[in-house]
């Protein structure tokens, strides 16, 4: 656990002041700080299982787009879902969201050592030559995780797409409007009984979305949670993709 | 409490263990938990609830279903609360509305005596001449017709919205709705069942279905428990479906939440609304719908009167009479409108109780007693349609129950596209031409007997579940002929020479008002509504539409079906602004440096959806702060957050070709590491956006766009390439980059300290150059451009590095006394330099020639969007041109945007930008002027604030540094 | 609220979309006569009946086409623009062919 301030790092989440005032402890990830957990919540794991919101914005992620993107990604050993708007777990634990026939978004695994993004990041020029153009998703979008039993009910108040668990399955993606802002939502459960929705929206709207979600979660007793807690919900070894 | 309460099992909504104290017009009362305000008052013998809108007549309970304005009362934070729907709460302070003096003695009631001088259309006829008088009359008229008082200190509550999705939504939870929900749920469908009342059951809660009076209760008990046992039925009570919108989108309000429901199939089981008979003094307190009396007894255990007369046009009236007898009310008589009634079992049961029936007779008028309450009815024989004998019999009573017919609750169904027609035999409106995925059942569909109602509901539910493929069973389109015995009497309308036979209680409209409106020429029901205000009151025609249609039809020799009703628009019931607004959402965009601005004392403004610093310093010293910031940039160094600028990556083998088509300039031969101005026109040749295009590599351009224009520019690029199919990929990376423009003669000196890997010298990195490197160890794109006309570097870094970049530059500039500058200073600086802002200095007609940008058009290109239109525009003389002007008179007010340029009394142009220039020491601005006035030295006249005429002088642009020596050093 | 089916994202509330105008094939801007060009730029057919329209799903900036009946406001079908635009449009080629015409 690191007590250092995000202000000592070059990359800072838009939300770090909010986290600080909520009593956040930070930890080093991808060369900068993420919230590890919050002081004052004795049972953050229970909170995550009931209803929690985590800010993953400083964790690495990357996007590729272009008519050569699927073929190039294939040569890199990336597993692509057949259809757009599906998420597929990669062998290193990262998640790949296929946003359209020609566009993907890759989110790193919550536990460290997700090698895929680094591997792809190192080859963006050769990718461009193959018509696969890198997208700076780690900066263009913020990344939040909404977890727990009441996550779907929370989303029902701010999103017009039916995200009840029997309608919006594990691995589904919706590119839609959440709390009046454009967002990418995917459901990917960490542990079997705890639903988890990853929500990405324009990074300049991070504070708006965070505050809106916290307000929306109030009636179900939702609270912010940290990465350490979120990691406890994730099996240490990713199951092999089906 | 009082002897007006009935014993159990009357009063199904009441919790008699919980007493509720409240006050009405200053007097304390007690009721029970579960009471409505109106029922609690009735239990206390307070039958007078309000004064009518126009004549201030005493009014009481009419429908007990929220379908009339009689029960509107004032709550401290809520004017126009419906006393018959509003649940009683402890400590409630209720007051009467629309009262002059007191509710009991309202001096404006004298208006009733002058009613023949207040004919329909009176306001239009009396107050519109002479011109201008209307404004003088309005406050006086409004006062005499006031409805409630707004509590201006009221704090709004927490309202919320929620989306919900169902296979089947059933609106109305009476016997039809409950049967339909159960049938649909049996197929496994997800069902929503909605009712506006506190409990499921609809009419089963208060109506009498059999002579013994227990069939309804037994059925209700069973259906409720069946529904409770179904996990796939969600039942919402106290919930109003307030409209129908395309593709079965239903706004349902419950408490302080608006549910936005999307249903695959909608079943409207919304029932029917009882209608009043129209006769003189039919509005006296004590005259009410038969169903209102039943609701008072069954739901609230209130004895509605001591001696009743029932006016019956159907057999339901006899059921009500039985109920009254059970409740210990003396039934003085049944006045039977039908000449040859066909009695059913219930009616026969009543007849055996020895109540006198006056067959073929009508209540010709009601008579007023003490405190305005009903004291007797004048019963006369019907001699022909709407005509009574000259004499009749006076029967004393304090309660008259009207049971003369119904209108289907058509509002939501007509919103969905259903059409009303009228059947002369049944004297009833019916609904047909329903849209797909939409069904109606029960009394709204013309079924009145319990067994046919239930069968019809099951039929409709099966049609719905068949459609969504839950099961496929054969279903008849109709279950049977609609019930032969219509509950509607065809003409329960009896005109009186002295009038006061009310058709619309809300608006105090009498028979003559409706008939006269048609004679004034307003013979279409839609016109008549606007002219007479019939149906425009709070109850929106719920109790007046049928009688109005009948009267208009008779008066214009049309059928009732041809006459129809007025359009019923959403909302069905009143809704608060809080429900519409929901929680407060304002998606405002912040850059990564947002809090650094606040810490530096910035006053933020909203540019589109972005927060941007306007200037740094206290509000009181705004002009001084702005001048200081301008001064810093001109003489030293300043920095500005330009993260909100749009950014687009254009990549692919056709990247240059693509830009060549989108922008007016030429890009094919643009060298790498160079930047070009990019001006975008639409197909009409109108300027719509601008920015710069940096050539990062052969097949890669980084293009900026304006803060407000980038989303449109991006979408338009995608749309074009969907057609051109060029090998290019376009990505909107606006938010991925944070930007700072560091500007001023000392900009290089500051930047050098933190930029080790780019040679910043003018020779190595000239004006309009583009470089990639690092600023304070942050990867950066650096562009030598400046909107402000000084040496400037625009630094773009990944968004999450924004704050760190700000910190690094502020630290590096500390020695140099670097100063942040905001949007206001930038507006002044760019104006001094004569740079236009697209959208401020251009409008929906501006072409590049008008804004002096012909230099930015590459005319040799085979094509760009807008090229042909610019060729055509080039053939025509310029109508206007954008020029720079200065105001030399130091006493003159500074013109503002949109102030007019005048020639004599003709408008010939307008100001688009104008600011005081601290550098030039006088106001400078841009304005559109006609060509003859565009020459430098010409004087133009601007009409400034308050009509002051300001003379300005046209000058050559730019105002500052005409040879651009400062930005290219 | 109306539903519209995006070929990429499926049925969504109409608020997720922006309207992109009537669909027209642009005339050759260098060879068509002025009247034809002006009508193309400024006139709208505003037909009662089935029309073809551009729509954009704003969350994904995905452009597609919808065939819609303007009388009943029913959308008959939606489909990707690539069904109509199958190959690269080149103005330079057209220019040289126009020159050849002279």
């Amino acid at each position: 656990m690191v007590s250092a301030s995000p202000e000592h790092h070059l990359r800072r989440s838009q939300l770090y002041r909010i986290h600080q005032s909520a009593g956040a402890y930070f930890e080093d990830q991808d060369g900068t700080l993420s919230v590890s957990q919050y002081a004052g919540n004795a049972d953050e794991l229970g909170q995550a299982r009931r209803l929690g919101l985590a800010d993953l914005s400083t964790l690495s992620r990357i996007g590729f787009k272009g008519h050569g993107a699927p073929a190039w990604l294939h040569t890199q050993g990336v597993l692509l879902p057949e259809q757009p708007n599906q998420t597929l777990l990669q062998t290193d634990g990262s998640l790949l969201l296929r946003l359209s026939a020609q566009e993907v978004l890759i989110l790193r695994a919550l536990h460290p050592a997700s090698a895929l993004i680094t591997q792809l990041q190192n080859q963006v020029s050769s990718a461009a030559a193959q018509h696969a153009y890198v997208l700076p998703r780690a900066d263009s979008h913020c990344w939040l995780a909404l977890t727990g039993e009441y996550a779907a009910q929370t989303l029902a108040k701010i999103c017009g797409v039916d995200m009840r668990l029997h309608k919006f399955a594990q691995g589904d993606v919706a590119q839609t409007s959440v709390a009046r802002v454009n967002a990418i939502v995917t459901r990917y459960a960490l542990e079997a009984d705890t639903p988890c929705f990853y929500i990405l929206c324009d990074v300049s709207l991070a504070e708006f979305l965070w505050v809106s979600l916290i307000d929306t979660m109030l009636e179900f007793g939702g609270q912010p949670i940290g990465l350490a807690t979120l990691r406890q919900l994730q099996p240490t070894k990713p199951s092999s993709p089906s | 409490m009082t002897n007006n309460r009935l014993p159990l099992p009357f009063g199904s909504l009441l919790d008699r263990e919980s007493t509720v104290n409240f006050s009405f017009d200053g007097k304390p009362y007690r009721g029970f938990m579960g009471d409505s305000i109106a029922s609690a008052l009735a239990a206390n013998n307070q039958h007078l609830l309000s004064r009518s809108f126009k004549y201030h007549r005493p009014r009481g309970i009419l429908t007990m279903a929220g379908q009339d304005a009689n029960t509107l009362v004032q709550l401290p934070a809520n004017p126009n609360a419906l006393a018959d729907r509003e649940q009683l709460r402890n400590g409630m302070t209720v007051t009467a509305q629309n009262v002059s003096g007191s509710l009991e003695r309202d001096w404006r009631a004298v208006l009733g005596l002058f009613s023949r001088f207040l004919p329909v259309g009176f306001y239009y006829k009396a107050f519109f001449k002479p011109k201008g008088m209307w404004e003088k009359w309005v406050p006086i008229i409004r006062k005499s017709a006031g409805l409630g008082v707004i509590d201006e200190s009221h704090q709004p509550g927490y309202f919320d919205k929620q989306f919900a999705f169902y296979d089947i939504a059933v609106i109305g939870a009476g016997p039809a709705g409950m049967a339909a929900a159960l049938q649909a749920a049996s197929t496994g469908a997800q069902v929503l069942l909605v009712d506006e009342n506190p409990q499921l059951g609809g009419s089963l809660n208060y109506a009498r279905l059999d002579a013994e009076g227990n069939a309804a209760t037994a059925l209700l008990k069973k259906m409720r428990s069946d529904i409770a046992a179904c996990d796939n039925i969600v039942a919402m009570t106290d919930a109003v479906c307030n409209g129908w919108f395309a593709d079965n989108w239903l706004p349902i309000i419950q408490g302080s939440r608006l549910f936005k429901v999307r249903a695959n199939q909608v079943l409207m089981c919304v029932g029917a609304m009882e209608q009043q008979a129209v006769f003189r003094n039919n509005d006296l307190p004590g005259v009410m719908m038969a169903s209102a009396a039943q609701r008072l007894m069954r739901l609230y255990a209130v004895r509605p009167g001591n001696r009743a007369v029932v006016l019956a046009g159907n057999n339901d009236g006899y059921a009500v009479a039985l109920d009254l007898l059970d409740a210990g009310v003396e039934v003085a008589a049944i006045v039977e409108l039908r000449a040859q009634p066909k009695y059913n079992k219930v009616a026969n049961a009543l007849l055996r109780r020895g109540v006198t029936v006056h067959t073929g007779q009508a209540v010709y008028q009601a008579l007023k007693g003490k405190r305005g309450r009903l004291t007797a009815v004048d019963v006369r024989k019907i001699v022909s349609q709407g005509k009574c004998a000259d004499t009749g019999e006076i029967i004393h009573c304090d309660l008259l129950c009207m049971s003369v017919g119904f209108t289907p609750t058509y509002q939501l169904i007509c919103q969905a596209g259903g059409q009303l027609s009228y059947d002369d035999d049944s004297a009833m409106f019916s609904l047909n031409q329903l849209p797909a995925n939409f069904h109606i059942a029960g009394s709204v569909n013309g079924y009145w007997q319990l067994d046919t109602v239930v069968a019809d509901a099951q039929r409709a539910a099966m049609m719905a579940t068949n459609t969504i493929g839950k099961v496929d069973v054969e279903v008849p389109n109709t279950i049977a002929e609609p019930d032969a015995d219509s509950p509607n009497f065809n003409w329960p309308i009896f005109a009186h020479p002295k009038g006061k036979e009310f058709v619309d209680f809300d608006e105090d409209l009498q028979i003559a008002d409706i008939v006269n409106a048609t004679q004034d020429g307003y013979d279409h029901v839609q016109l008549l509504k606007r002219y007479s205000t019939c149906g425009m009151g709070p109850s929106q025609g719920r109790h007046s539409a049928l009688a109005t249609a009948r009267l208009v039809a008779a008066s214009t020799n049309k059928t009732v079906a041809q006459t129809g009703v007025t359009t019923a628009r959403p909302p069905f019931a009143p809704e608060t602004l809080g429900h519409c607004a929901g929680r407060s959402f304002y998606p405002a965009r912040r850059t990564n440096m947002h809090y650094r601005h606040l810490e530096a004392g910035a006053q933020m403004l909203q540019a589109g959806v972005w927060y941007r610093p306007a200037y740094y310093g206290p509000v009181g010293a705004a002009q001084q702060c702005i001048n200081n910031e301008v001064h810093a940039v001109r003489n030293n160094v300043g920095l500005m957050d330009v993260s909100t600028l749009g950014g687009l990556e254009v990549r692919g083998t056709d990247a240059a070709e693509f830009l060549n088509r989108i922008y007016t300039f030429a890009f094919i031969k643009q060298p790498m590491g160079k930047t070009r101005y990019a001006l975008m026109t639409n197909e009409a040749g109108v300027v719509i956006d601008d920015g710069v295009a940096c050539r990062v590599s052969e097949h890669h351009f980084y293009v900026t766009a304006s803060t407000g224009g980038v989303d449109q520019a991006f979408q338009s690029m995608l749309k074009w390439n969907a057609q051109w199919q060029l090998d290019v990929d376009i990505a909107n990376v606006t938010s991925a980059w944070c930007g700072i423009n560091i500007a001023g003669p000392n900009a290089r000196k500051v930047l050098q300290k933190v930029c080790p890997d780019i040679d910043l010298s003018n020779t190595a990195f000239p004006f309009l150059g583009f470089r990639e490197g690092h600023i304070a160890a942050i990867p950066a794109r650096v562009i030598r451009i400046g909107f402000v006309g000084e040496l400037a570097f625009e630094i773009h870094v990944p968004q999450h590095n924004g704050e760190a970049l700000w910190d690094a530059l502020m630290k590096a500039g500390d020695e140099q006394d670097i100063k942040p500058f905001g949007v206001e200073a930038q507006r002044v600086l760019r104006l001094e330099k004569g740079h236009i802002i697209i959208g401020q200095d251009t409008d929906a007609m501006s072409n590049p020639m008008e804004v002096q940008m012909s230099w930015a058009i590459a005319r040799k290109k085979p094509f760009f969007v807008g090229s042909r239109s610019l060729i055509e525009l080039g053939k025509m003389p310029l109508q206007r041109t954008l020029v720079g002007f200065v105001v030399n008179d130091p006493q003159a007010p500074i013109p503002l945007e949109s102030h007019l340029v005048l020639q004599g009394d003709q408008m010939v142009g307008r100001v688009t930008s104008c600011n005081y220039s601290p550098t030039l020491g006088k106001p400078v601005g841009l304005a559109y002027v006609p060509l003859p006035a565009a020459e430098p030295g010409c004087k133009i006249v601007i009409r400034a604030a308050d009509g002051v005429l300001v003379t300005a002088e046209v000058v050559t642009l730019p105002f500052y540094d005409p040879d651009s020596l400062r930005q290219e050093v | 609220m109306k539903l519209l089916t995006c070929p990429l994202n499926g049925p969504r509330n109409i608020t997720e979309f922006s309207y992109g105008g009537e669909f027209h094939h642009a005339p050759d801007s260098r060879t068509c006569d002025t009247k034809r060009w002006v009508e193309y730029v400024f006139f709208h057919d505003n037909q009662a009946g089935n029309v073809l329209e551009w729509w954009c799903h704003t969350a994904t900036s995905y452009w597609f086409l919808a065939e819609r009946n303007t009388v009943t406001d029913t959308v008959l079908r939606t489909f990707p623009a690539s069904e109509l635009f199958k190959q690269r449009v080149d103005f330079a080629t057209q220019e040289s062919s126009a020159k050849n015409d002279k």
Side-chain angles (χ1 to χ4, degrees), chain A residues 81-87 98-103 173 175, chain C residues 8:
Chain A
E82 294 272 312
Q83 295 297 320
N85 288 317
Q86 288 294 314
T87 290
R98 186 163 196 171
L99 301 180
S100 74
Q102 301 183 356
E103 183 178 354
V173 174
Q175 301 175 74
Chain C
L8 174 61

Side-chain angles (χ1 to χ4, degrees), chain A residues 16 65 202 207 215-216 219, chain B residues 257 583 595 730 735 803:
Chain A
Y16 78 84
K65 183 160 156 276
D202 189 291
E207 186 175 327
D215 182 62
T216 309
E219 74 171 289
Chain B
R257 184 164 297 192
R583 294 186 311 134
Y595 288 94
I730 310 130
S735 293
E803 191 178 286

Side-chain angles (χ1 to χ4, degrees), chain B residues 10-147:
Chain B
F10 288 104
S12 65
L13 286 177
L14 295 188
D15 171 7
R16 298 188 198 227
E17 303 296 308
S18 312
T19 303
V20 175
N21 293 299
F22 71 106
S23 71
F24 179 63
D25 260 10
K27 250 178 86 182
Y29 291 94
R30 290 163 79 187
F32 289 124
M33 196 60 86
D35 256 323
S36 66
I37 296 170
S39 68
L41 288 171
N44 286 284
N45 273 315
Q46 175 65 40
H47 297 281
L48 174 57
L49 290 173
S50 69
R51 290 280 172 168
S52 72
F53 188 64
K54 197 159 136 191
Y55 302 132
H56 288 242
R57 288 172 64 88
R59 291 281 166 81
I61 286 167
L62 176 64
T63 62
M64 272 311 279
Q67 290 168 4
D68 60 280
N70 287 8
T71 63
L72 290 183
V73 292
Q74 171 85 44
L75 300 179
N78 183 14
N80 303 321
L82 286 164
D84 53 348
R85 307 253 347 138
E86 193 79 33
Q87 279 216 358
L88 199 62
R89 289 186 307 276
N90 217 3
M92 216 175 209
T93 308
V94 186
T95 44
Q97 288 186 178
N98 201 34
V99 170
S100 302
S102 75
L103 179 62
E104 297 288 339
R105 296 177 178 280
D106 184 319
W107 56 264
R108 276 186 209 267
V110 74
L111 282 169
L113 301 176
F114 298 104
S115 66
R116 69 190 179 92
F117 303 115
L118 290 170
V120 66
F122 169 72
Y123 295 103
Y124 301 116
K125 288 168 177 162
F127 297 104
F128 264 100
K129 283 178 183 174
K131 197 176 172 217
M133 279 310 285
W134 176 243
E135 280 69 27
K136 298 213 163 43
W137 281 107
V138 162
I140 298 163
I141 294 169
R142 286 209 75 83
K143 195 169 175 67
S144 73
L147 285 177

Side-chain angles (χ1 to χ4, degrees), chain B residues 33 99 102 130 164 198 284 344 416 446 723 840 873:
Chain B
M33 196 60 86
V99 170
S102 75
L284 295 183
N344 62 5
Q723 301 163 69
Q840 171 163 341
L873 286 164

Side-chain angles (χ1 to χ4, degrees), chain C:
Chain C
M1 190 193 296
K2 204 166 173 56
L3 285 169
L4 187 62
T5 300
C6 171
L8 174 61
N9 296 288
R12 291 294 172 80
N13 292 339
I14 195 79
T15 47
E16 289 198 19
F17 299 89
S18 54
Y19 175 64
E22 293 170 359
F23 173 83
H24 293 290
H25 277 290
D28 187 323
S29 67
R30 286 151 308 128
T31 55
C32 74
D33 64 32
T34 306
K35 183 164 180 286
R36 172 85 181 86
W37 179 254
V38 168
E39 283 180 358
Y40 163 71
V41 172
F42 292 105
F43 285 18
H44 298 274
D45 295 347
N46 199 21
Q47 265 178 40
N50 291 352
V51 297
L52 202 54
E53 296 169 335
W54 283 103
W55 285 86
C56 180
H57 181 246
T58 42
T60 49
S61 294
Y62 179 82
W63 282 101
F64 61 95
L65 292 152
E67 195 178 351
R68 186 174 72 93
N69 186 297
T70 55
V71 179
T72 61
D73 195 24
T74 7
V75 177
L76 307 171
R77 72 178 189 124
T78 55
F79 56 96
S82 56
E83 277 189 28
L84 290 183
F85 300 96
K86 293 183 196 297
Q87 58 188 19
R88 177 191 168 99
V89 175
D90 249 310
F91 296 100
T93 332
Q94 287 169 24
E95 186 182 43
S96 49
S97 66
K99 271 175 195 161
N100 293 343
D101 290 347
K102 285 175 192 170

Side-chain angles (χ1 to χ4, degrees), chain B residues 566-838:
Chain B
T566 55
T567 311
R569 295 184 179 83
F572 175 72
E575 61 193 17
T576 65
L577 291 176
H579 284 119
C580 299
R583 294 186 311 134
S584 165
F585 280 113
Y586 185 79
R589 299 175 73 174
R590 293 171 173 86
T591 79
N592 200 264
M593 308 165 206
H594 181 80
Y595 288 94
R596 287 293 185 250
H597 303 318
L598 298 184
E599 288 155 12
Q603 305 299 327
M604 303 302 279
L605 59 76
Q606 295 204 321
V609 290
W610 287 96
Y611 281 120
R612 301 195 71 180
Y615 55 88
Y616 297 79
V619 176
Q623 192 57 51
Q624 193 53 47
C625 294
I626 295 164
N627 291 354
N628 290 347
E629 291 169 23
V630 170
H631 189 265
V633 174
R634 289 279 178 249
N635 300 293
N636 183 24
V637 58
L639 83 172
M640 181 187 194
D641 180 355
V642 293
S643 310
T644 64
L645 268 188
L648 304 164
E649 305 276 14
V650 178
R651 291 172 287 193
T653 50
D654 282 327
E657 170 64 20
F658 179 74
L659 293 188
N660 233 27
R661 296 183 188 190
I662 289 290
Y663 292 105
T664 58
F665 230 173
F667 297 91
I668 303 281
K669 292 178 186 161
Q670 180 180 347
M672 275 180 272
K674 276 284 193 188
T675 294
R676 267 183 195 176
Y677 181 66
L679 182 71
M680 191 186 281
T681 56
N682 64 15
E683 285 186 297
V686 171
V687 174
I688 52 172
D689 199 38
D690 70 348
V692 296
C694 313
R695 193 160 203 171
V696 181
S697 67
E698 174 74 17
H699 299 315
H700 180 187
F701 287 82
Y702 177 53
V703 185
T704 69
S706 64
T707 299
V710 63
D711 290 338
Q712 280 272 291
F714 174 59
Q715 276 196 1
S716 138
M717 287 182 181
L718 293 177
K719 190 180 171 194
W720 280 115
N721 206 44
Q723 301 163 69
W724 296 334
Q725 301 279 311
L726 296 180
D727 179 19
V728 68
D729 185 81
I730 310 130
N732 185 349
V733 293
T734 299
S735 293
W737 296 92
C738 240
I740 287 179
N741 194 291
I742 177 166
N746 290 321
R748 185 177 285 120
K749 203 181 283 181
V750 172
L751 193 56
Q752 262 162 352
K753 293 187 186 175
V754 282
C755 183
D757 56 356
I758 303 175
D759 182 346
L760 298 176
S761 69
N762 197 36
T763 42
F765 188 4
F767 186 61
L768 293 179
F770 171 85
R771 297 290 181 271
E772 290 177 280
H774 290 80
I775 312 286
I778 301 164
R781 290 172 170 178
V782 185
I783 315 168
R784 261 205 71 184
I785 43 167
F787 205 31
V788 299
E790 297 294 337
L791 167 66
F793 298 89
E794 192 155 303
I795 305 156
H796 293 197
V797 299
Q799 179 69 238
H800 284 119
N801 292 119
E803 191 178 286
L805 176 70
W806 179 271
D807 292 349
L809 290 175
M810 286 299 282
K811 191 160 168 258
D814 192 39
E815 203 181 326
Q816 208 52 247
D817 200 19
I818 193 170
K819 202 170 172 52
F821 65 102
V823 173
E824 295 293 351
Q826 188 210 31
R827 281 179 184 167
V828 174
L829 290 159
R830 68 90 200 176
L831 183 58
E832 289 175 346
K833 187 63 188 155
H835 287 150
I836 67 164
I837 297 177
I838 309 294

